[in-house]
Amino acid sequence: MTLMNPPLGSAVAAVCAGFGRDVDENLAQIADLIEQARAEGVSLLALPEACLGGYLSVLGAGRDGSHDEQPEDLPPVMDIDGPELRCVAALAGDMTVVVGLCESDGSDRYNTAAIVSGDGVLGLHRKVHQPLGESMFYAAGSEFGCVDTPAGRVGALICYDKAFPEAARSLAVDGAEVIACISAWPASRTATGDSIAEDRWTKRFNLFDAARALENQVVWLAANQHGTFGKLRFVANAKVVGPGGDVLATTGIHSGMAVAEIDVPSALETARRAMFHLRDRRPDAYGAVTAATLQEPAHA
């Protein structure tokens, strides 16, 4: 669902599209999406996780030891100052774009979201929370933080990060006005629904988006991959969620771009006028949240 021709700079958007290993093809698709977004007045665009080089084709053994497939290949490693991100930055121009890739610090591979504009790379987020067997192929990031962009103060998360309230809250207390959570979120691999719309992981994907936006009173962009890649079938449902938890635009189960015209500072001011969740927090009462370490249940 898109809104018709909003004035330049007054809209935000999240993409649902499929991306594979062909990087040149990925860049051509990104160029088309940025052009479409610019025509719709978008100032901040979120592209899916791993849209440069594709995601994993399987998720490995998982913590339960089942599904012990291995991917045939891995996403290509890219440099943060490399030609791929330079290309995306040039395409972005005065727009701010959140883009997913696999990058390395010289020794470890990371599943990374880069926030870029025509000025280059403004900020990075390395995925912290790793589902199933993802840790066999990527190292985990260790921090959350926002950056100031032409579109406002923006924080990024990747996929499973959004299942953890502390991740989005860390960005909110760092001043995030918009949180872009980019994903390659697949349907359930056990008890899979006949319809993507009814799959239990589709429902959870959508629930997390609304909850994280509402509890932090931020604008939330959820991008996602579409279609299938290897053994994975993605749940789609890219969306823009307002600071009241209301879905302003969504692609549903289809590919496309969810675009919403919104004055972000005004929307946040309205949402936070009476009940301001960040102001009303009681951090002194939450010590157990960060102090406690969950003990794994014993297995026979």
Side-chain angles (χ1 to χ4, degrees):
M1 178 173 74
T2 60
L3 301 177
M4 298 299 292
N5 300 318
L8 183 64
S10 65
V12 296
V15 166
C16 180
F19 295 86
R21 290 282 182 265
D22 189 324
V23 176
D24 288 337
E25 186 177 290
N26 297 159
L27 288 169
Q29 187 174 1
I30 288 169
D32 289 344
L33 290 164
I34 289 176
E35 181 180 2
Q36 177 188 340
R38 181 169 284 110
E40 302 223 35
V42 170
S43 61
L44 175 60
L45 176 67
L47 298 166
E49 175 183 5
C51 62
L52 285 173
Y55 185 56
L56 302 172
S57 57
V58 296
L59 279 173
R63 295 190 179 97
D64 60 0
S66 62
H67 299 80
D68 60 354
E69 307 100 327
Q70 293 291 314
E72 293 181 5
D73 58 8
L74 294 177
V77 175
M78 299 175 188
D79 293 330
I80 293 306
D81 341 348
E84 299 86 2
L85 281 184
R86 285 201 302 270
C87 178
V88 177
L91 291 167
D94 57 357
M95 189 184 302
T96 300
V97 177
V98 184
V99 58
L101 68 151
C102 176
E103 59 99 7
S104 174
D105 61 1
S107 57
D108 290 321
R109 299 162 56 94
Y110 294 94
N111 186 342
T112 297
I115 303 172
V116 305
S117 73
D119 292 328
V121 177
L122 306 177
L124 296 174
H125 170 66
R126 291 171 170 172
K127 187 174 182 179
V128 172
H129 300 97
Q130 298 179 307
L132 302 173
E134 194 178 274
S135 60
M136 295 188 292
F137 310 110
Y138 298 99
S142 59
E143 58 187 359
F144 303 97
C146 299
V147 292
D148 292 317
T149 79
R153 191 155 177 82
V154 177
L157 299 175
I158 302 177
C159 206
Y160 191 42
D161 282 335
K162 73 178 172 185
F164 299 84
E166 300 89 344
R169 180 52 54 87
S170 295
L171 296 177
V173 298
D174 192 31
E177 297 172 294
V178 181
I179 296 177
C181 187
I182 67 174
S183 296
W185 189 286
S188 173
R189 62 181 185 178
T190 58
T192 304
D194 292 335
S195 162
I196 280 288
E198 296 303 317
D199 189 89
R200 61 180 179 171
W201 279 107
T202 302
K203 295 177 180 179
R204 293 172 187 182
F205 182 87
N206 292 332
L207 180 59
F208 285 137
D209 289 336
R212 298 293 90 88
L214 175 58
E215 68 196 5
N216 294 294
Q217 295 173 303
V218 295
V219 174
W220 182 273
L221 306 183
N224 199 20
Q225 292 256 7
H226 181 267
T228 61
F229 186 71
K231 297 288 184 69
L232 302 183
R233 180 176 67 149
F234 302 109
V235 306
N237 279 275
K239 66 177 71 63
V240 179
V241 187
D246 45 324
V247 176
L248 305 178
T250 179
T251 66
I253 63 172
H254 306 290
S255 62
M257 186 182 298
V259 183
E261 184 177 1
I262 183 170
D263 180 329
V264 173
S266 176
L268 299 192
E269 181 183 5
T270 299
R272 297 171 174 183
R273 186 172 295 147
M275 298 179 66
F276 184 9
H277 302 160
L278 299 181
R279 178 197 61 207
D280 297 336
R281 291 182 312 127
R282 287 284 311 280
D284 55 304
Y286 312 146
V289 173
T290 54
T293 300
L294 179 67
Q295 298 300 312
E296 293 285 348
H299 296 286

